[in-house]
Amino acid sequence: MRRIQMDRPIVEIDGDEMARVMWGWVKEKLILPYVDLKAEYYDLHVKVRDETDDQITVRAAEAVKRLGVGVKCATITPDAERVKEYNLKRAWRSPNATIREALDGTLFRAPVILRNVVPAVRFWKKPIVVARHAYGDIYSGVGVRFEEPGEAELVYRSISGKEVRVKLPKLEGPGVIQAYHNIDESIRSFARASLRYGLINMLDVWFGAKDTISKIYDARFKEIFQEVYETEFKDEFEKAGLRYEYYLIDDAYARAVRSEGGFVWATKNFDGDVISDLVASAFGGSLALMTSELFSPQGYYLSEAAHGTVRRHYYRWLKGEKTSTNPVGIIFAWTRGLRERGRRDGNRELVVFAETLEEAVKHTIEEDKVMTQDVAKVAEPPVNAIVTTEEFIEAVKRNLDKLLEKRIR
Ligand code: NAP
Ligand code: MG
């Protein structure tokens, strides 16, 4: 069989533990036989990061900037326990944080919708994609705990020496204070990324905040979103029949539950933290049925699975046990990356291949009712077979071959 050619390479970022094992299997069985893969390979195995003083991570991020599109396997973020386990020089920082920072990206998390995995919210038919702002709010906030009645003031001093002071309400007795900030440019990048994602994927975009109460902070977010929408996206949205809507955050929650899904929900940092976990579990509950894509306003793109390295399964696999770890998140990391490469290069064959592979995965679970144990736990009966990771990949491959036969010839 003739393999699909690629015009430009993608960046392939390998990772750790069970995710790494599955990464290899998926690549060998579901990608390489069909695609003449052009990839620049970066091995972010925790030992390689250690040997290179984490420079490999920096180089991988630079490669994504250079080539535009990357796919990433889950990686260990070392803590004290991991430093001991892998005999590391130190607890290197999270590769995801390093890469996200370098790319200035926004993370989009979306569920893989399957007919036999019914969402907890019965109206939901289409994915809700949560776009989480990755800067500011309480994550870089500061706090004070006070013991006596007193007063507090927020002072802003500019580099040219201008000062603005605002008083807090009178403080009666012991209590706590918190202050946090954001930056216009970061909010603007976030708005752009969210709106662009909606446009590319033909989804409406919602942004929710509480500008009626937070008249400066949240109001600034609302203002910037509106401005970016009107100056950069309105025409294209209208042409595509899409909508951008601002809702008060409580209204957004209520509407989301009544909706049938099918939109991008852009959230402030904290809201996204909470909403992404809520939406993920309400859509079915398996972390492996989530995709995670990073878009930056400069056009850099990275896809990965939403789950981690699946450590517990890895230890069992090391002992020679066959595990039923779900490779769907990893397969979708590959398909989304290849699809993005294909779209950018005008390579229709590659786009069709990526979409067909996703269809083959769905067919395996929905029609054949063959699945890994995590999906079997949440799927509607009947379940025909609960299989190991390798058996699942084989089943997907059989469906892929059938679908490609129909489609390409
Ligand atoms: P995890 O890999 O997300 O797995 C947690 C649990 O979720 C697993 O033990 C398993 O439950 C279930 N699970 C997750 N993915 C699954 C899959 N594909 N198939 C079946 N079940 C799945 O988190 P972890 O094992 O606690 O963390 C391991 C390492 O991952 C950590 O070192 C962390 O730093 C790293 N991490 C990396 C990323 C990333 O690179 N994007 C993200 C998160 C965590 P059962 O054991 O009950 O079956
Ligand atoms: Mg969270």
Side-chain angles (χ1 to χ4, degrees):
M1 190 182 121
R2 193 185 63 82
R3 292 191 299 172
I4 296 163
Q5 296 301 304
M6 289 175 67
D7 307 273
R8 303 189 61 207
I10 55 166
V11 183
E12 177 189 352
I13 305 174
D14 211 342
D16 292 299
E17 301 191 320
M18 202 61 210
R20 183 188 181 96
V21 174
M22 294 197 290
W23 187 264
W25 287 341
V26 167
K27 184 174 158 187
E28 185 199 312
K29 299 279 184 191
L30 299 176
I31 309 294
L32 292 181
Y34 307 92
V35 178
D36 189 4
L37 184 71
K38 277 198 186 133
E40 238 179 63
Y41 178 83
Y42 291 84
D43 190 354
L44 261 59
H45 188 286
V46 70
K47 281 303 273 181
V48 180
R49 281 182 272 148
D50 197 52
E51 281 154 19
T52 61
D53 289 341
D54 210 22
Q55 283 312 298
I56 188 77
T57 309
V58 175
R59 287 206 296 275
E62 280 165 2
V64 176
K65 285 185 164 180
R66 184 160 35 79
L67 297 174
V69 178
V71 292
K72 181 181 171 293
C73 179
T75 45
I76 289 172
T77 296
D79 52 15
E81 200 189 335
R82 298 297 210 162
V83 168
K84 231 164 128 196
E85 179 182 0
Y86 285 91
N87 190 22
L88 307 175
K89 293 181 213 158
R90 44 173 287 206
W92 303 102
R93 72 185 293 226
S94 152
N96 290 326
T98 302
I99 293 169
R100 210 169 298 160
E101 214 170 86
L103 303 182
D104 181 26
T106 300
L107 205 61
F108 296 84
R109 262 184 160 208
V112 174
I113 304 277
L114 297 163
R115 259 204 319 279
N116 46 348
V117 177
V118 180
V121 178
R122 66 192 153 87
F123 310 117
W124 290 357
K125 301 276 182 299
K126 297 183 236 163
I128 294 174
V129 181
V130 178
R132 176 179 169 188
H133 188 204
Y135 182 82
D137 292 9
I138 57 171
Y139 305 90
S140 48
V142 292
V144 175
R145 178 172 164 179
F146 56 89
E147 302 299 337
E148 287 181 76
E151 50 177 42
E153 215 177 5
L154 190 63
V155 182
Y156 161 75
R157 195 173 302 109
S158 78
I159 47 167
S160 63
K162 257 187 285 174
E163 259 189 23
V164 183
R165 291 170 172 268
V166 246
K167 271 195 164 33
L168 270 72
K170 211 163 162 240
L171 306 173
E172 312 277 8
V176 284
I177 305 173
Q178 177 170 255
Y180 53 81
H181 77 285
N182 227 296
I183 302 286
D184 284 3
E185 202 40 51
S186 173
I187 302 169
R188 198 164 288 125
S189 294
F190 170 55
R192 253 182 217 134
S194 304
L195 290 160
R196 185 171 299 148
Y197 187 99
L199 196 59
I200 292 173
N201 294 287
M202 290 296 286
L203 295 166
D204 289 344
V205 176
W206 297 12
F207 173 62
K210 194 77 177 179
D211 67 300
T212 47
I213 301 299
S214 173
K215 289 190 166 70
I216 294 183
Y217 197 92
D218 284 26
R220 189 66 188 130
F221 274 80
K222 179 184 176 185
E223 208 170 85
I224 291 174
F225 261 81
Q226 196 61 37
E227 194 181 287
V228 171
Y229 173 67
E230 270 165 27
T231 56
E232 301 174 28
F233 290 92
K234 191 162 189 259
D235 293 346
E236 285 183 276
F237 262 59
E238 283 175 358
K239 247 184 267 162
L242 298 173
R243 294 187 318 163
Y244 162 68
E245 299 284 356
Y246 172 79
Y247 296 118
L248 284 173
I249 186 69
D250 35 1
D251 189 25
Y253 271 88
R255 281 172 189 273
V257 172
R258 291 194 309 264
S259 78
E260 59 167 30
F263 58 93
V264 178
W265 189 350
T267 62
K268 287 173 30 199
N269 207 348
F270 173 76
D271 296 325
D273 190 344
V274 179
I275 293 169
S276 58
D277 289 358
L278 181 83
V279 167
S281 57
F283 261 108
S286 173
L287 266 181
L289 296 180
M290 294 287 292
T291 62
S292 182
E293 297 172 279
L294 185 97
F295 281 86
S296 85
Q298 295 82 4
Y300 314 134
Y301 174 91
L302 185 71
S303 65
E304 59 172 358
H307 61 75
T309 63
V310 215
R311 181 181 190 175
R312 297 205 313 171
H313 294 215
Y314 181 62
Y315 294 153
R316 282 171 20 215
W317 182 79
L318 280 181
K319 284 192 213 137
E321 207 181 302
K322 295 260 181 210
T323 66
S324 181
T325 319
N326 189 344
V328 170
I330 284 173
I331 297 173
F332 274 61
W334 276 100
T335 56
R336 294 299 158 94
L338 291 175
R339 185 180 73 173
E340 188 64 23
R341 181 77 282 167
R343 281 177 174 173
R344 291 182 184 206
D345 299 346
N347 186 342
R348 233 191 81 73
E349 249 195 315
L350 191 58
V351 174
V352 170
F353 168 75
E355 289 172 355
T356 310
L357 177 48
E358 291 189 6
E359 220 178 292
V361 168
K362 290 187 179 176
H363 192 97
T364 307
I365 301 173
E366 290 177 338
E367 311 292 333
D368 304 344
K369 304 185 193 303
V370 168
M371 57 199 84
T372 46
Q373 46 85 28
D374 58 313
V375 181
K377 250 189 262 169
V378 294
E380 297 283 293
V383 171
N384 288 339
I386 301 175
V387 294
T388 65
T389 309
E390 286 162 288
E391 288 164 347
F392 183 80
I393 292 172
E394 282 303 332
V396 170
K397 188 175 167 57
R398 280 193 296 276
N399 282 320
L400 176 63
D401 288 337
K402 274 189 232 154
L403 289 168
L404 285 175
E405 192 75 35
K406 260 196 259 168
R407 189 145 308 173
I408 290 174
R409 306 224 159 72

